[in-house]
Amino acid sequence: MLIEIWADVVCGWAHIGKKRMEKALAAWQGEPVTVVWRPFQRDPMAPAHAEPLERTLSDPIAEDALRACTPPGLSNADNRARVAEEAAAEGLGPQWGAEWRPNTLEAHRLIALAYEQGGAELQDRVVERVLNAHFVEVRDIGDPSVLAGIAEEAGLAAAARFDAPAPRPGAELVRELLLTGKAKGVRTSPTIVANGLALEGAQPPEVIREFLEDASRHTPRRLPAEVERLRHAESLLDQRDPLGALTLLRPLMDEHGDDRGVRLLAARAYFGSAQLNRARAALESLVAESPDDSYARHLLGRTLQRQGRHEEAAVHLAMAAAMTPDYTP
């Protein structure tokens, strides 16, 4: 069974959750499991160069970002006090606690590469090292030199290439994974996903074991990878992230560019991101192939409207409304 842990490495609950997952699995007697760490960013606007966390705590915008790692019902201040107590109870050390606000994209890139290069076991060691660097050693894990040292210890220096210009290996993979997590509905760190079920937060080991038992009995419908990617892109569109949707659609457009569903979803994403010429070209092709597709015709009319081509738009909007009265203005 595949267990995905979607988490940010600057979230204290993720460090605690890792220890609790290890305790849960130590007593696990079910089917073999593989634990994979997936990226989540609670603070995507963190600066490229880390700043002292104390300064962050006085910034209302940054303070709001911390809520992605705060359990419901707790203020950020209460959460910080509670997470420190829980960390001590888990044996993470009396000096546990972060002092930096780093951007975690590069740390996530290293963690993703660790899985690609050496599987779950190597990734677990890298995650542990990154978490310890941030919370125990109080180092800046946004600093490439800190991460390069961890990569060197793990035998990943050549793969991670921290001395190379951007974009570095694994950067696109991390971007896609972040979008996939968003499409799946991951909203907090950590979130455990197994067999289509999700468990939010750093739950006690016995709760994690019960969750895994439920997941092991759950048999979700397995979809082809292309269909799953298409659904994730559609989810991002529903969440008003058309550029994210286009990122996930790009491989499908390259490999299945003739598929009508892919083309229509891409046209919607072009429209949503105001790439109106691309939207119009895609929709004109779809309408020419299927003149009775009222939705494609309606969207083409709206695209032409936004381009100021009102006479052309009126024809398509009227035809769409005649076929589907719900499209009547």
Side-chain angles (χ1 to χ4, degrees), residues 110-135:
L110 176 59
I111 289 167
L113 284 172
Y115 183 70
E116 292 290 305
Q117 297 289 319
E121 185 176 344
L122 177 60
Q123 187 190 52
D124 181 78
R125 293 201 303 270
V126 170
V127 170
E128 184 71 25
R129 189 69 188 85
V130 170
L131 290 170
N132 277 330
H134 182 66
F135 289 107

PDB file of all heavy atoms in Angstrom, residues 110-135:
ATOM      1  N   LEU A 110      14.935  18.656  -3.435  1.00  0.00           N
ATOM      2  CA  LEU A 110      15.894  17.648  -2.985  1.00  0.00           C
ATOM      3  C   LEU A 110      15.176  16.385  -2.521  1.00  0.00           C
ATOM      4  O   LEU A 110      15.593  15.260  -2.828  1.00  0.00           O
ATOM      5  CB  LEU A 110      16.747  18.225  -1.848  1.00  0.00           C
ATOM      6  CG  LEU A 110      17.745  17.263  -1.196  1.00  0.00           C
ATOM      7  CD1 LEU A 110      18.735  16.727  -2.223  1.00  0.00           C
ATOM      8  CD2 LEU A 110      18.476  17.955  -0.051  1.00  0.00           C
ATOM      9  N   ILE A 111      14.064  16.560  -1.808  1.00  0.00           N
ATOM     10  CA  ILE A 111      13.313  15.414  -1.294  1.00  0.00           C
ATOM     11  C   ILE A 111      12.700  14.612  -2.453  1.00  0.00           C
ATOM     12  O   ILE A 111      12.714  13.374  -2.447  1.00  0.00           O
ATOM     13  CB  ILE A 111      12.233  15.898  -0.308  1.00  0.00           C
ATOM     14  CG1 ILE A 111      12.900  16.397   0.978  1.00  0.00           C
ATOM     15  CG2 ILE A 111      11.216  14.803  -0.004  1.00  0.00           C
ATOM     16  CD1 ILE A 111      11.982  17.184   1.884  1.00  0.00           C
ATOM     17  N   ALA A 112      12.178  15.307  -3.453  1.00  0.00           N
ATOM     18  CA  ALA A 112      11.615  14.615  -4.617  1.00  0.00           C
ATOM     19  C   ALA A 112      12.699  13.863  -5.380  1.00  0.00           C
ATOM     20  O   ALA A 112      12.497  12.724  -5.823  1.00  0.00           O
ATOM     21  CB  ALA A 112      10.905  15.613  -5.531  1.00  0.00           C
ATOM     22  N   LEU A 113      13.863  14.475  -5.529  1.00  0.00           N
ATOM     23  CA  LEU A 113      14.967  13.811  -6.220  1.00  0.00           C
ATOM     24  C   LEU A 113      15.448  12.584  -5.451  1.00  0.00           C
ATOM     25  O   LEU A 113      15.841  11.579  -6.049  1.00  0.00           O
ATOM     26  CB  LEU A 113      16.126  14.794  -6.418  1.00  0.00           C
ATOM     27  CG  LEU A 113      15.949  15.837  -7.522  1.00  0.00           C
ATOM     28  CD1 LEU A 113      17.080  16.854  -7.469  1.00  0.00           C
ATOM     29  CD2 LEU A 113      15.902  15.168  -8.897  1.00  0.00           C
ATOM     30  N   ALA A 114      15.419  12.676  -4.114  1.00  0.00           N
ATOM     31  CA  ALA A 114      15.839  11.531  -3.305  1.00  0.00           C
ATOM     32  C   ALA A 114      14.972  10.320  -3.610  1.00  0.00           C
ATOM     33  O   ALA A 114      15.471   9.190  -3.730  1.00  0.00           O
ATOM     34  CB  ALA A 114      15.769  11.881  -1.822  1.00  0.00           C
ATOM     35  N   TYR A 115      13.672  10.540  -3.771  1.00  0.00           N
ATOM     36  CA  TYR A 115      12.776   9.417  -4.097  1.00  0.00           C
ATOM     37  C   TYR A 115      13.045   8.911  -5.512  1.00  0.00           C
ATOM     38  O   TYR A 115      13.077   7.692  -5.754  1.00  0.00           O
ATOM     39  CB  TYR A 115      11.320   9.848  -3.957  1.00  0.00           C
ATOM     40  CG  TYR A 115      10.348   8.714  -4.204  1.00  0.00           C
ATOM     41  CD1 TYR A 115      10.239   7.666  -3.298  1.00  0.00           C
ATOM     42  CD2 TYR A 115       9.553   8.697  -5.349  1.00  0.00           C
ATOM     43  CE1 TYR A 115       9.365   6.614  -3.532  1.00  0.00           C
ATOM     44  CE2 TYR A 115       8.672   7.651  -5.583  1.00  0.00           C
ATOM     45  CZ  TYR A 115       8.582   6.610  -4.674  1.00  0.00           C
ATOM     46  OH  TYR A 115       7.717   5.570  -4.906  1.00  0.00           O
ATOM     47  N   GLU A 116      13.242   9.843  -6.443  1.00  0.00           N
ATOM     48  CA  GLU A 116      13.500   9.450  -7.828  1.00  0.00           C
ATOM     49  C   GLU A 116      14.795   8.658  -7.942  1.00  0.00           C
ATOM     50  O   GLU A 116      14.890   7.702  -8.709  1.00  0.00           O
ATOM     51  CB  GLU A 116      13.582  10.696  -8.710  1.00  0.00           C
ATOM     52  CG  GLU A 116      12.269  11.447  -8.877  1.00  0.00           C
ATOM     53  CD  GLU A 116      11.274  10.690  -9.713  1.00  0.00           C
ATOM     54  OE1 GLU A 116      11.618  10.315 -10.845  1.00  0.00           O
ATOM     55  OE2 GLU A 116      10.154  10.441  -9.226  1.00  0.00           O
ATOM     56  N   GLN A 117      15.806   9.040  -7.169  1.00  0.00           N
ATOM     57  CA  GLN A 117      17.125   8.430  -7.295  1.00  0.00           C
ATOM     58  C   GLN A 117      17.293   7.179  -6.437  1.00  0.00           C
ATOM     59  O   GLN A 117      18.001   6.252  -6.827  1.00  0.00           O
ATOM     60  CB  GLN A 117      18.200   9.451  -6.906  1.00  0.00           C
ATOM     61  CG  GLN A 117      18.269  10.676  -7.803  1.00  0.00           C
ATOM     62  CD  GLN A 117      18.831  10.361  -9.166  1.00  0.00           C
ATOM     63  OE1 GLN A 117      19.792   9.606  -9.288  1.00  0.00           O
ATOM     64  NE2 GLN A 117      18.241  10.921 -10.206  1.00  0.00           N
ATOM     65  N   GLY A 118      16.669   7.149  -5.253  1.00  0.00           N
ATOM     66  CA  GLY A 118      16.939   6.043  -4.328  1.00  0.00           C
ATOM     67  C   GLY A 118      15.733   5.445  -3.650  1.00  0.00           C
ATOM     68  O   GLY A 118      15.881   4.633  -2.734  1.00  0.00           O
ATOM     69  N   GLY A 119      14.530   5.853  -4.057  1.00  0.00           N
ATOM     70  CA  GLY A 119      13.340   5.255  -3.478  1.00  0.00           C
ATOM     71  C   GLY A 119      12.982   5.807  -2.105  1.00  0.00           C
ATOM     72  O   GLY A 119      13.564   6.777  -1.616  1.00  0.00           O
ATOM     73  N   ALA A 120      12.018   5.150  -1.467  1.00  0.00           N
ATOM     74  CA  ALA A 120      11.453   5.641  -0.217  1.00  0.00           C
ATOM     75  C   ALA A 120      12.465   5.670   0.922  1.00  0.00           C
ATOM     76  O   ALA A 120      12.426   6.563   1.773  1.00  0.00           O
ATOM     77  CB  ALA A 120      10.238   4.793   0.170  1.00  0.00           C
ATOM     78  N   GLU A 121      13.358   4.693   0.961  1.00  0.00           N
ATOM     79  CA  GLU A 121      14.306   4.637   2.073  1.00  0.00           C
ATOM     80  C   GLU A 121      15.261   5.831   2.050  1.00  0.00           C
ATOM     81  O   GLU A 121      15.483   6.486   3.081  1.00  0.00           O
ATOM     82  CB  GLU A 121      15.102   3.331   2.016  1.00  0.00           C
ATOM     83  CG  GLU A 121      16.033   3.151   3.203  1.00  0.00           C
ATOM     84  CD  GLU A 121      16.753   1.815   3.177  1.00  0.00           C
ATOM     85  OE1 GLU A 121      16.321   0.911   2.430  1.00  0.00           O
ATOM     86  OE2 GLU A 121      17.752   1.666   3.910  1.00  0.00           O
ATOM     87  N   LEU A 122      15.812   6.139   0.891  1.00  0.00           N
ATOM     88  CA  LEU A 122      16.699   7.293   0.792  1.00  0.00           C
ATOM     89  C   LEU A 122      15.920   8.577   1.043  1.00  0.00           C
ATOM     90  O   LEU A 122      16.408   9.484   1.736  1.00  0.00           O
ATOM     91  CB  LEU A 122      17.344   7.338  -0.589  1.00  0.00           C
ATOM     92  CG  LEU A 122      18.258   8.540  -0.848  1.00  0.00           C
ATOM     93  CD1 LEU A 122      19.414   8.570   0.140  1.00  0.00           C
ATOM     94  CD2 LEU A 122      18.768   8.542  -2.286  1.00  0.00           C
ATOM     95  N   GLN A 123      14.715   8.672   0.502  1.00  0.00           N
ATOM     96  CA  GLN A 123      13.923   9.874   0.719  1.00  0.00           C
ATOM     97  C   GLN A 123      13.650  10.098   2.196  1.00  0.00           C
ATOM     98  O   GLN A 123      13.728  11.228   2.693  1.00  0.00           O
ATOM     99  CB  GLN A 123      12.601   9.794  -0.055  1.00  0.00           C
ATOM    100  CG  GLN A 123      11.813  11.096   0.009  1.00  0.00           C
ATOM    101  CD  GLN A 123      10.412  10.970  -0.547  1.00  0.00           C
ATOM    102  OE1 GLN A 123       9.658  10.084  -0.150  1.00  0.00           O
ATOM    103  NE2 GLN A 123      10.046  11.854  -1.466  1.00  0.00           N
ATOM    104  N   ASP A 124      13.344   9.022   2.917  1.00  0.00           N
ATOM    105  CA  ASP A 124      13.063   9.151   4.349  1.00  0.00           C
ATOM    106  C   ASP A 124      14.278   9.725   5.080  1.00  0.00           C
ATOM    107  O   ASP A 124      14.133  10.580   5.960  1.00  0.00           O
ATOM    108  CB  ASP A 124      12.687   7.788   4.926  1.00  0.00           C
ATOM    109  CG  ASP A 124      12.358   7.872   6.404  1.00  0.00           C
ATOM    110  OD1 ASP A 124      11.244   8.314   6.739  1.00  0.00           O
ATOM    111  OD2 ASP A 124      13.215   7.507   7.226  1.00  0.00           O
ATOM    112  N   ARG A 125      15.461   9.264   4.726  1.00  0.00           N
ATOM    113  CA  ARG A 125      16.670   9.773   5.385  1.00  0.00           C
ATOM    114  C   ARG A 125      16.876  11.257   5.074  1.00  0.00           C
ATOM    115  O   ARG A 125      17.276  12.034   5.958  1.00  0.00           O
ATOM    116  CB  ARG A 125      17.903   8.968   4.941  1.00  0.00           C
ATOM    117  CG  ARG A 125      17.890   7.520   5.415  1.00  0.00           C
ATOM    118  CD  ARG A 125      19.303   6.927   5.400  1.00  0.00           C
ATOM    119  NE  ARG A 125      19.933   6.994   4.088  1.00  0.00           N
ATOM    120  CZ  ARG A 125      19.853   6.054   3.170  1.00  0.00           C
ATOM    121  NH1 ARG A 125      19.115   4.964   3.391  1.00  0.00           N
ATOM    122  NH2 ARG A 125      20.479   6.180   2.009  1.00  0.00           N
ATOM    123  N   VAL A 126      16.598  11.653   3.850  1.00  0.00           N
ATOM    124  CA  VAL A 126      16.767  13.054   3.473  1.00  0.00           C
ATOM    125  C   VAL A 126      15.734  13.926   4.189  1.00  0.00           C
ATOM    126  O   VAL A 126      16.058  15.015   4.684  1.00  0.00           O
ATOM    127  CB  VAL A 126      16.677  13.219   1.944  1.00  0.00           C
ATOM    128  CG1 VAL A 126      16.594  14.694   1.555  1.00  0.00           C
ATOM    129  CG2 VAL A 126      17.875  12.568   1.274  1.00  0.00           C
ATOM    130  N   VAL A 127      14.492  13.461   4.251  1.00  0.00           N
ATOM    131  CA  VAL A 127      13.454  14.210   4.979  1.00  0.00           C
ATOM    132  C   VAL A 127      13.862  14.405   6.435  1.00  0.00           C
ATOM    133  O   VAL A 127      13.759  15.506   6.984  1.00  0.00           O
ATOM    134  CB  VAL A 127      12.094  13.492   4.883  1.00  0.00           C
ATOM    135  CG1 VAL A 127      11.078  14.122   5.843  1.00  0.00           C
ATOM    136  CG2 VAL A 127      11.555  13.538   3.465  1.00  0.00           C
ATOM    137  N   GLU A 128      14.329  13.342   7.063  1.00  0.00           N
ATOM    138  CA  GLU A 128      14.763  13.427   8.458  1.00  0.00           C
ATOM    139  C   GLU A 128      15.883  14.444   8.612  1.00  0.00           C
ATOM    140  O   GLU A 128      15.890  15.244   9.565  1.00  0.00           O
ATOM    141  CB  GLU A 128      15.222  12.046   8.939  1.00  0.00           C
ATOM    142  CG  GLU A 128      15.610  11.991  10.406  1.00  0.00           C
ATOM    143  CD  GLU A 128      14.413  12.115  11.341  1.00  0.00           C
ATOM    144  OE1 GLU A 128      13.281  11.778  10.927  1.00  0.00           O
ATOM    145  OE2 GLU A 128      14.618  12.555  12.485  1.00  0.00           O
ATOM    146  N   ARG A 129      16.808  14.428   7.684  1.00  0.00           N
ATOM    147  CA  ARG A 129      17.952  15.349   7.767  1.00  0.00           C
ATOM    148  C   ARG A 129      17.497  16.793   7.579  1.00  0.00           C
ATOM    149  O   ARG A 129      17.981  17.700   8.265  1.00  0.00           O
ATOM    150  CB  ARG A 129      18.976  14.970   6.692  1.00  0.00           C
ATOM    151  CG  ARG A 129      20.289  15.695   6.810  1.00  0.00           C
ATOM    152  CD  ARG A 129      21.070  15.250   8.035  1.00  0.00           C
ATOM    153  NE  ARG A 129      22.246  16.095   8.229  1.00  0.00           N
ATOM    154  CZ  ARG A 129      22.253  17.261   8.875  1.00  0.00           C
ATOM    155  NH1 ARG A 129      21.133  17.734   9.396  1.00  0.00           N
ATOM    156  NH2 ARG A 129      23.356  17.952   9.012  1.00  0.00           N
ATOM    157  N   VAL A 130      16.582  17.031   6.661  1.00  0.00           N
ATOM    158  CA  VAL A 130      16.089  18.390   6.422  1.00  0.00           C
ATOM    159  C   VAL A 130      15.311  18.893   7.638  1.00  0.00           C
ATOM    160  O   VAL A 130      15.486  20.049   8.078  1.00  0.00           O
ATOM    161  CB  VAL A 130      15.217  18.431   5.150  1.00  0.00           C
ATOM    162  CG1 VAL A 130      14.506  19.777   5.020  1.00  0.00           C
ATOM    163  CG2 VAL A 130      16.057  18.164   3.911  1.00  0.00           C
ATOM    164  N   LEU A 131      14.445  18.053   8.187  1.00  0.00           N
ATOM    165  CA  LEU A 131      13.672  18.454   9.364  1.00  0.00           C
ATOM    166  C   LEU A 131      14.587  18.759  10.549  1.00  0.00           C
ATOM    167  O   LEU A 131      14.382  19.752  11.274  1.00  0.00           O
ATOM    168  CB  LEU A 131      12.679  17.352   9.725  1.00  0.00           C
ATOM    169  CG  LEU A 131      11.505  17.150   8.770  1.00  0.00           C
ATOM    170  CD1 LEU A 131      10.747  15.869   9.108  1.00  0.00           C
ATOM    171  CD2 LEU A 131      10.546  18.338   8.815  1.00  0.00           C
ATOM    172  N   ASN A 132      15.588  17.928  10.748  1.00  0.00           N
ATOM    173  CA  ASN A 132      16.526  18.170  11.852  1.00  0.00           C
ATOM    174  C   ASN A 132      17.306  19.462  11.640  1.00  0.00           C
ATOM    175  O   ASN A 132      17.556  20.206  12.590  1.00  0.00           O
ATOM    176  CB  ASN A 132      17.494  16.988  11.999  1.00  0.00           C
ATOM    177  CG  ASN A 132      16.887  15.859  12.800  1.00  0.00           C
ATOM    178  OD1 ASN A 132      16.063  16.075  13.671  1.00  0.00           O
ATOM    179  ND2 ASN A 132      17.288  14.633  12.492  1.00  0.00           N
ATOM    180  N   ALA A 133      17.692  19.718  10.397  1.00  0.00           N
ATOM    181  CA  ALA A 133      18.426  20.945  10.114  1.00  0.00           C
ATOM    182  C   ALA A 133      17.593  22.170  10.464  1.00  0.00           C
ATOM    183  O   ALA A 133      18.103  23.148  11.017  1.00  0.00           O
ATOM    184  CB  ALA A 133      18.838  20.980   8.639  1.00  0.00           C
ATOM    185  N   HIS A 134      16.306  22.114  10.149  1.00  0.00           N
ATOM    186  CA  HIS A 134      15.433  23.270  10.378  1.00  0.00           C
ATOM    187  C   HIS A 134      15.059  23.432  11.849  1.00  0.00           C
ATOM    188  O   HIS A 134      15.154  24.539  12.398  1.00  0.00           O
ATOM    189  CB  HIS A 134      14.165  23.133   9.538  1.00  0.00           C
ATOM    190  CG  HIS A 134      13.220  24.292   9.658  1.00  0.00           C
ATOM    191  ND1 HIS A 134      13.538  25.555   9.205  1.00  0.00           N
ATOM    192  CD2 HIS A 134      11.970  24.386  10.182  1.00  0.00           C
ATOM    193  CE1 HIS A 134      12.525  26.376   9.440  1.00  0.00           C
ATOM    194  NE2 HIS A 134      11.564  25.688  10.036  1.00  0.00           N
ATOM    195  N   PHE A 135      14.657  22.332  12.494  1.00  0.00           N
ATOM    196  CA  PHE A 135      14.080  22.437  13.837  1.00  0.00           C
ATOM    197  C   PHE A 135      15.074  22.195  14.976  1.00  0.00           C
ATOM    198  O   PHE A 135      14.884  22.715  16.066  1.00  0.00           O
ATOM    199  CB  PHE A 135      12.914  21.444  13.985  1.00  0.00           C
ATOM    200  CG  PHE A 135      11.693  21.821  13.207  1.00  0.00           C
ATOM    201  CD1 PHE A 135      11.348  21.124  12.062  1.00  0.00           C
ATOM    202  CD2 PHE A 135      10.892  22.876  13.604  1.00  0.00           C
ATOM    203  CE1 PHE A 135      10.212  21.467  11.329  1.00  0.00           C
ATOM    204  CE2 PHE A 135       9.764  23.240  12.881  1.00  0.00           C
ATOM    205  CZ  PHE A 135       9.426  22.531  11.742  1.00  0.00           C
TER     206      PHE A 135
END
